[in-house]
């Protein structure tokens, strides 16, 4: 999900070299026939922008023209997909993730139609949705402000348990999982870590002064000491990639870091909608978005990692915002089945 200033993406986009290949490096043969619609309706969440340059390349390579409709945030977008499944708003959706997708899967929103995809990419597919194809990945985890801890002479935390230690009282800001995707990811990570004891862990966090905001922007804009307002709290639920945004001018160090022991692995998907008017065009779009150049452009704009092994993330992201080697994970079906129960219990614990 897009989290950083547009200038980062613009610099990366400007450095790319135009190409017209399939995801395997071969020229694409997805051009529409004379009887097919030449327009592909793409649906995405509201903070994910596809550049004009990218859309022009898609047309030049495939002969299709993509129009993009931004619906809303990830969870709200899924709600709209479910409500309009009998009369879908487009041909292909770009941006459902492994936390929010399953409700739409159960409702029959997605088709099984997809282009031929590298099996290595599909290792992160959702078994109940064979038509959903990963296009990027990243981790949600606690970030810390190195400079704050150094100034205070306080050892930095490392683990989930550390966050509930009294020496870190009133230092963490997290997001409400009912309204925030990273908030929900962090909740799932704690459940993965503590199992049946997750409720006691949140009671401990609550007693230790964790602040809960509605969303990521609220925390970054007001509370986080390394955020926009230089707030009072040096720990924030964010993304493992975020420290790549606070690298010094020399590119040698970042003033922030991520606690990789607290990470939940997030995957974003694209898929053809059941009832799509232009299935072939939708498949051509999916194939195009798995090509190396587009993967690198999305990585730079979104600060997520590519799923195409030939694509490279920005150097700062690779160096200062790596994904965890052993992140917490949970299958999308379990999350969907348990989510409402978890949220109700969490709200009771936190008085939300």
């Amino acid at each position: 999900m897009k989290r950083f200033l547009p200038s980062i993406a613009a610099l990366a986009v400007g450095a790319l070299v135009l190409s017209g290949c399939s995801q395997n490096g071969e020229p694409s043969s997805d051009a529409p026939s004379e009887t097919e619609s030449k327009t592909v309706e793409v649906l995405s969440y509201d903070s994910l922008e596809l550049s004009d340059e990218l859309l022009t390349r898609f047309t030049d390579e495939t002969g299709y023209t993509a129009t993009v409709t931004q619906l809303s945030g990830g969870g709200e977008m899924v709600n709209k997909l479910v409500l309009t499944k009998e009369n879908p708003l487009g041909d292909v959706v770009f941006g459902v993730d492994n936390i929010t997708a399953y409700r739409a899967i159960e409702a029959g929103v997605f088709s099984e139609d997809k282009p031929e995809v590298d099996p290595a990419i599909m290792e992160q597919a959702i078994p109940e949705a064979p038509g959903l194809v990963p296009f990027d990945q990243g981790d949600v985890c606690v970030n810390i402000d190195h400079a704050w801890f150094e100034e205070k002479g306080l050892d930095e935390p490392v683990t989930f348990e550390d966050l509930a230690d009294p020496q870190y009282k009133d230092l963490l800001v997290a997001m409400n999982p009912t309204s925030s995707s990273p908030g929900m990811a962090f909740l799932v990570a704690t459940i993965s870590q503590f199992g049946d004891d997750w409720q006691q862990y949140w009671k401990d966090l609550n007693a230790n002064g964790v602040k809960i905001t509605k969303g990521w922007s609220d925390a970054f804009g007001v509370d986080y000491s390394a955020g926009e307002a230089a707030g009072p709290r040096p720990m924030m639920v964010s993304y493992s990639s975020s420290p790549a945004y606070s690298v010094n001018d020399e590119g040698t160090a970042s003033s922030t870091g991520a606690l990789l022991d607290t990470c939940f692995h997030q995957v974003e998907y694209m898929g053809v909608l059941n009832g799509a008017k232009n299935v072939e065009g939708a498949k051509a779009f999916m194939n195009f978005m798995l090509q190396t150049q587009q993967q690198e452009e999305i990585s730079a704009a979104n600060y997520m990692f590519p799923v195409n092994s030939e694509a490279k993330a920005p150097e700062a992201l690779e160096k200062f915002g790596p994904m965890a080697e052993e992140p917490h994970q949970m299958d999308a079906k379990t999350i969907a089945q348990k989510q409402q129960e978890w949220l109700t219990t969490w709200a009771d614990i936190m008085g939300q």
Side-chain angles (χ1 to χ4, degrees), residues 113-303:
D113 286 301
K114 68 176 186 297
E116 185 176 347
V117 179
D118 184 341
I121 292 176
M122 294 305 292
E123 288 179 1
Q124 297 197 85
I126 298 173
E128 296 83 2
L132 282 183
V133 176
F135 71 85
D136 70 8
Q137 58 185 323
D139 290 338
V140 173
C141 49
V142 173
N143 280 208
I144 60 171
D145 181 354
H146 291 313
W148 189 97
F149 281 94
E150 183 176 356
E151 180 182 341
K152 300 295 183 181
L154 183 63
D155 290 338
E156 294 181 355
V158 175
T159 66
F160 276 114
E161 289 82 359
D162 290 342
L163 303 179
D165 188 309
Q167 70 176 319
Y168 302 115
K169 185 176 177 62
D170 298 330
L171 300 187
L172 174 64
V173 57
M175 293 96 236
N176 191 321
T178 65
S179 57
S180 165
S181 177
M184 185 64 201
F186 183 65
L187 173 60
V188 174
T190 64
I191 294 169
S192 172
Q193 170 73 15
F194 295 103
D196 292 340
D197 293 330
W198 74 268
Q199 298 176 37
Q200 182 59 53
Y201 178 70
W202 275 95
K203 291 175 183 178
D204 294 341
L205 280 184
N206 198 26
N208 211 39
V210 62
K211 180 176 180 180
I212 303 298
T213 64
K214 181 179 179 180
W216 185 93
S217 296
D218 302 299
F220 188 77
V222 176
D223 298 291
Y224 188 37
S225 59
E228 293 172 350
R233 293 176 180 253
M235 299 189 293
M236 171 185 167
V237 171
S238 188
Y239 300 85
S240 68
S241 58
S242 297
Y245 180 60
S246 52
V247 175
N248 61 19
D249 292 339
E250 294 76 27
T252 57
S254 175
S255 61
T256 65
L259 306 185
L260 297 184
D261 284 354
T262 68
C263 288
F264 176 83
H265 190 60
Q266 184 181 44
V267 182
E268 293 190 305
Y269 299 89
M270 53 186 170
V272 180
L273 294 169
N274 268 327
K277 296 177 181 178
N278 191 348
V279 173
E280 293 305 312
K283 289 163 61 178
F285 177 82
M286 293 169 68
N287 181 67
F288 175 79
M289 293 308 300
L290 291 176
Q291 293 173 16
T292 301
Q293 182 175 353
Q294 284 68 252
Q295 284 277 289
E296 292 181 346
E297 180 172 329
I298 289 295
S299 177
N302 229 26
Y303 256 51

